[in-house]
Amino acid sequence: MSVLIIAEHDNKELNQLTLNAVTAARELSDDISMFVAGSECHDVVSQCCKIEGLSTVLVCDSPHYDNAMAENTANLLASVVEEFDHILATSTTSSKNIMPRLAAHIDVQAISDVSTIIDESTFKRPIYAGNVIATIKSSDVKKVITIRSTAFDAAKNEGGSAEVVNIDALSDLGLASFVSEEVAKSDRPELTAAGIVISGGRGMGSGENFTLLDGIADKLGAAIGASRAAVDAGFVPNDMQVGQTGKIVAPDLYIAVGISGAIQHLAGMKDSKVIAAINKDDEAPIFSVADYGLVGDLFKQLPEFEQAL
Amino acid sequence: MLAALMGIGQATFASEIIFDEKDLKVTREVDGGLQTLGLKTPAVVTADLRLNEPRYASLPNIMKAKKKPIDIISIADLGVDAENRVQLIGVELPPERKAGIKVDDVAQLVDKLKNEAKVI
């Protein structure tokens, strides 16, 4: 049994969510390798080598592996997976772009969003917006899997001493090219990695009112999220969306402000350890999952909350 | 998967598509923000929720659609192996989260978060 994990990175920093896939892999095997494809990505390679539990880091450094384009990356992956039984990645927009393509190349059925590993071919995964947990068994020779970051802890990123193995680049397929990227910049922690998340919903009323959350987030060191209603209303950009079609988060504390708690939103945050909710409607569904509910006017309560911290 | 089988390019989570003669420019919603790709056609593009407003069929068109011939192709005719390799062996409900308590004011909320839940 051997496992290959796809490292997600920007050629400088390893995406910390990759560490959650390492923990999942350790439930499958002791023979774990990591795959790093990029351009001028040596910093990432040295970070990967230090991850606890890895034996080998497969590296392919070539200009056309910049930006993790699915076409070239999946093609290269297909050429190296021969010796592996499981190919794992953390479920992100990047892996959801690459892994199905890899699965098609090697003729297997991809398995997404795994939350529990039962044995080498049996897994649990949430379906219907997390309202049902399905147990599935794969009869494919190789398993191509994405895992839910919130279901596995992050592996330690120090103490390891994996060996680097360089692999040859394949030719550029030339099917797609990278044009540009608009990455939201923020000094706050990543939504998916933050210990505390404070999210605003339609009840915030406008994009300007989201500044009411800034002071609280600063004091708590929290990330700021939003419900789909707030994103669709144009209050905030889509990368802040928490929910079934946004990011799945499971922080120690989730504070929902002016969010009614549609099932699609709950799907993205109900695994949080503690949930607090502020909403003016005492019948709002968010209160049925909240440990602490406060009914009232958020415009009055948010400044009070910030003061009290 | 279709794009891989056809050996063509792909753009998933598309929120904007621009046709530029025979190439495509697609903006994708990715975790960090937005990414724009150039694709040679043919290509496979999957739509994100915010790409557009779905167009609903009008009643006259629904009536007309009923009269269209339907051509049924069997899997055997296509000569492909469509056997499911992932088998569903059980379903269960996730552990239910119980509703907690309602607090009276901000001071009590902060107190509970600090002293009872110990998360701030």
Side-chain angles (χ1 to χ4, degrees):
Chain A
M1 293 287 296
S2 56
V3 184
L4 181 66
I5 300 169
I6 319 301
E8 189 169 331
H9 62 88
D10 60 3
N11 294 316
K12 292 193 176 60
E13 294 278 330
L14 177 73
N15 184 331
Q16 297 298 302
L17 292 177
T18 301
L19 299 172
N20 301 64
V22 176
T23 303
R26 294 179 85 170
E27 293 185 22
L28 289 162
S29 169
D30 294 328
D31 181 7
I32 306 169
S33 301
M34 189 164 275
F35 169 89
V36 183
S39 174
E40 305 281 323
C41 58
H42 26 78
D43 289 350
V44 179
V45 174
S46 51
Q47 289 162 36
C48 290
C49 287
K50 292 187 198 123
I51 300 172
E52 194 177 61
L54 297 186
S55 52
T56 315
V57 177
L58 304 180
V59 180
C60 190
D61 199 321
S62 176
H64 59 278
Y65 296 118
D66 200 1
N67 300 303
M69 304 281 281
E71 295 81 359
N72 286 328
T73 308
N75 194 36
L76 175 66
L77 265 169
S79 75
V80 301
V81 296
E82 183 58 42
E83 58 185 294
F84 298 97
D85 304 297
H86 293 80
I87 300 97
L88 246 66
T90 304
S91 194
T92 60
T93 49
S94 175
S95 69
K96 285 186 223 170
N97 196 34
I98 294 168
M99 298 296 262
R101 194 168 178 112
L102 165 68
H105 275 307
I106 60 173
D107 191 26
V108 307
Q109 199 166 339
I111 301 166
S112 59
D113 262 342
V114 165
S115 55
T116 308
I117 293 168
I118 298 174
D119 62 36
E120 58 183 87
S121 57
T122 318
F123 312 96
K124 287 190 182 187
R125 57 187 295 269
I127 56 173
Y128 300 124
N131 286 310
V132 177
I133 308 293
T135 304
I136 55 157
K137 195 172 172 65
S138 167
S139 55
D140 273 316
V141 191
K142 290 185 194 303
K143 276 76 172 169
V144 173
I145 297 169
T146 62
I147 61 110
R148 244 188 206 214
S149 61
T150 53
F152 300 92
D153 293 333
K156 273 201 208 138
N157 55 0
E158 52 189 41
S161 54
E163 180 198 353
V164 174
V165 175
N166 285 300
I167 46 179
D168 293 334
L170 300 178
S171 58
D172 185 355
L173 295 170
L175 295 169
S177 57
F178 176 81
V179 177
S180 64
E181 194 163 48
E182 268 178 62
V183 177
K185 287 247 182 328
S186 167
D187 298 334
R188 297 217 165 80
E190 286 270 331
L191 259 180
T192 45
I196 300 179
V197 173
I198 180 164
S199 290
R202 201 201 306 268
M204 297 299 293
S206 73
E208 291 82 68
N209 290 340
F210 264 75
T211 53
L212 288 169
L213 303 180
D214 285 344
I216 298 172
D218 287 344
K219 282 192 169 172
L220 294 174
I224 298 183
S227 70
R228 182 167 173 215
V231 174
D232 281 355
F235 298 171
V236 289
N238 73 288
D239 54 86
M240 285 171 66
Q241 185 177 324
V242 171
Q244 193 188 358
T245 50
K247 294 190 173 118
I248 312 280
V249 301
D252 293 331
L253 172 62
Y254 188 87
I255 309 171
V257 183
I259 292 177
S260 65
I263 196 117
Q264 291 82 357
H265 185 74
L266 301 185
M269 46 63 84
K270 71 184 161 94
D271 290 331
S272 305
K273 288 199 184 73
V274 175
I275 298 173
I278 300 178
N279 202 297
K280 63 175 191 270
D281 174 13
D282 67 351
E283 300 280 305
I286 190 77
F287 289 124
S288 68
V289 298
D291 299 284
Y292 303 109
L294 177 58
V295 180
D297 178 11
L298 66 94
F299 296 103
K300 190 172 147 292
Q301 285 163 341
L302 286 177
E304 277 183 37
F305 191 56
E306 187 184 337
Q307 281 273 293
L309 291 172
Chain B
M1 293 185 92
L2 176 64
L5 294 174
M6 293 178 71
I8 59 178
Q10 68 181 61
T12 50
F13 314 109
S15 61
E16 192 185 3
I17 304 174
I18 299 167
F19 288 91
D20 177 18
E21 299 201 359
K22 57 186 201 315
D23 290 347
L24 284 181
K25 208 180 238 185
V26 183
T27 301
R28 307 176 56 225
E29 301 218 336
V30 294
D31 284 336
L34 298 171
Q35 183 190 57
T36 305
L37 301 179
L39 287 173
K40 288 207 175 112
T41 52
V44 175
V45 178
T46 65
D48 189 79
L49 286 167
R50 275 175 280 269
L51 175 64
N52 49 26
E53 285 286 327
R55 179 172 60 95
Y56 292 96
S58 64
L59 188 61
N61 280 335
I62 294 172
M63 298 309 285
K64 269 190 232 162
K66 287 188 174 170
K67 295 202 185 78
K68 301 271 186 200
I70 296 174
D71 190 6
I72 296 173
I73 307 166
S74 74
I75 287 174
D77 289 345
L78 294 172
V80 293
D81 166 22
E83 195 197 342
N84 208 338
R85 296 174 209 166
V86 173
Q87 194 193 348
L88 181 68
I89 55 176
V91 288
E92 66 197 273
L93 291 174
E96 207 163 313
R97 205 178 169 109
K98 288 196 186 70
I101 55 158
K102 292 262 172 72
V103 292
D104 301 322
D105 53 29
V106 171
Q108 201 187 346
L109 176 63
V110 172
D111 175 62
K112 292 278 185 196
L113 292 176
K114 271 189 180 148
N115 301 319
E116 192 175 276
K118 297 188 170 47
V119 283
I120 59 172

